[in-house]
Amino acid sequence: MTTIHTPPSAGGHAPVSPSFNALGDDYFRDPAKHFAGVREATPVFWYDYLNAWIVTSREDCLEVLGDWQLFSSAQNSAAEVPSQHHAVYPPELISMMIVGQDPPTHTRSRQVAQRGFTKERMERLRPEIEARAHRIIDKFEANGSANLMEEYSLELTTQTIMALLGLGYEYDPMMRQLRDDEAAILSSAHEPLLEPRRSEVWDRFVNANLVLRDIIESRRESDADDIISVMASAKDAHGAYMLSTDLIGLHLSEFAMAGADTTAQAMTNAVIFLSQHPDALADAIAEPTLWSNVFEETVRRRPSSTFTSRTAMKDVELSGVRISKGDMIFVSLASANTDPTYVDRPFEFDIHRPNPTDHLAFTAGRHTCLGNPLARAQGSTGLKVLFERLPSIRPSNPDELDFLRMALLPVRRTLHAAWDLADVERSRERTVRTLNLQVSKRVTASDGVISLDLTHPDGGELPQWKAGAHVDLHLAGTGGQRIVRQYSLCSDPEDLSSYRIGVLREPAGRGGSAAIHDLLVEGSTVTVSWPRNNFRLNPTRNYLFIAGGIGITPILAMVREAERTGTNWQLIYGGRTRNSMAFLEELAPYGSRVTVVPQDEFGHIDLPGILRDSREDTLVYACGPEPLLRATESNAAHWPKDSLRLERFAPKIFDAPTVNLPFEVEFSMSKKTVVVHADESILEAAERIGLPVISSCKEGTCGTCETPVIEGQVDHRDSILSPTEQQANETMMICVSRATGTCPRLILDA
Ligand code: FES
């Protein structure tokens, strides 16, 4: 027999939970666990502080969420607009938020808004989110610690929603403030804002809405695919705009908050859960598709929106408790997601659950979170990048309780985290990261050479690099095959607004330079790796630079660096003809430091003369065609060891033919051993047994596959490591180098 209780609003007695405190530290630390203590005894209880019912069982929650006619959302955005703003912000407008409407107005707003948040579109955003996440981490990676919530999670989600809305950096402060003001206004229905804060919040909120309205108006006929344009240009069957400018402005302020804060909360919570579950972290790092499960399990265990609210439209009974018409009901999503009658091992953080998305973190029914495809794409991608870059990241104090203390809705503002800088270095070595960049400028630099400026589509800074670095360009060959080619950066490393490369068309080449010359025009998009540097400019008293033809590109950046550090330098620059030699005008201001040697005027560079006297205080950096590099090597043979550094475009040619024998390689981290056959490389053998190795040139010239050596003697065949580095035997390029010795066997740290 059920006991019927009646709420205080009906003059009766209602079940309450004396131990429940939605403003206490216990609740903020772990809302779901706090509910576990009350759910069994009082699945539905009255909470005076909110003047509302709280519903905790999954069954009751689903019943409330599934019936919008019986449980209305119309009171969800009730807030009092100050009278001084009524002329531009009608008091009824605030109640028309998507979260605060019922059909049919809700349906119309949602129909328009969700065109901007489709699952397909959000999935396509992953590379862009990934690139953005890398750029953000770049800024604090070297510090070894950060306020993860502010510096990473919120930064990433805010930048992404800005890009989706098609708003430039100039609107960034306004949108961040709008995010916080929106939260304050929404919660003011239950926790009133006090003066003078109330006026300040509303003044900013209304002003931001006016700015947004101007932008919406300017995009009414736009066919761009940013969300503002998509919503502003949506028309009904009669050609009328579907939503008013005021209403779109209101919805944009909702997106500013919901689109940024909720996912940021989830990413930060995931870091705490993973620090407590190292097995789950190890699994996700080993199998990146599991990052989606990490995100789902995080929001199941701790939803970012721990509740949603409704108003009873009739007298109704839930779990034997009578709720009167007009009563407010808070649906506890945190409790529903850990209800043991439905969820197996509810408090275990298990990223291998058979149905990871079976939870109510994004609510259910008509108000299922509109932005859930964005949250899912961004949350899982943001976590993947974070742990790729900072694999040892741990919260400094997982119990840190810096929250905006809104009842039932803990909004975290701080989570300090720290990581091991040595791990950062190791992960950098093992990861090839890419960016989708745009060709912002294409000019002819000389006969057969073009220079391309590559910039980020959203105008953001590019990853840092140093003189001598190169990038991989990922191109489609004429037959549709994927081509990856390396190009040295020749711009100024101090200017991160763009990268510049110089590309010589090589008619007898393998198709990379032709694809760039033929396909990349201003406005084209191209996938570019992060810069890597195998040709570092080491400090010395004097530099002697030797460049042949397009080999001038890395040297250009080196010349700038030498100038910047005040180091003495000389450049000998040879080429077929003066017209074929790129960037001569940039070198002209350096006067006699630069010797230009067009072959048709002066013959070959006089390497025997230039390199005759060896110098202890001089480093020689040479880049150019293979004959020039071989001649430089032989003429500098008497120079001190390691004073010569070469950058090769093509594999090194050995004086004596190389012999390949089979040998065994043990990959210590992966705990796998493989026999490398005589006709394959270590890289190929590793790929054959399914190891996630990375590579690019596959000919020992780019350094991508560099792998630490734990044991065994290496026959180094690359063009990157210096003689001293080869002798040290600490790393090897597994695409070309092999094992040597009487009993060849290698143990690699991979
Ligand atoms: Fe380029 Fe091995 S893949 S050096």
Side-chain angles (χ1 to χ4, degrees), residues 683 695-705 720 733-735:
L683 181 76
S695 64
S696 181
C697 70
K698 299 190 176 173
E699 51 188 23
T701 58
C702 76
T704 307
C705 68
I720 295 162
M733 304 304 150
I734 60 171
C735 63

Side-chain angles (χ1 to χ4, degrees), residues 552-565:
I552 190 63
T553 48
I555 303 292
L556 263 188
M558 291 183 164
V559 161
R560 272 196 205 95
E561 186 59 22
E563 281 284 301
R564 198 167 3 248
T565 57

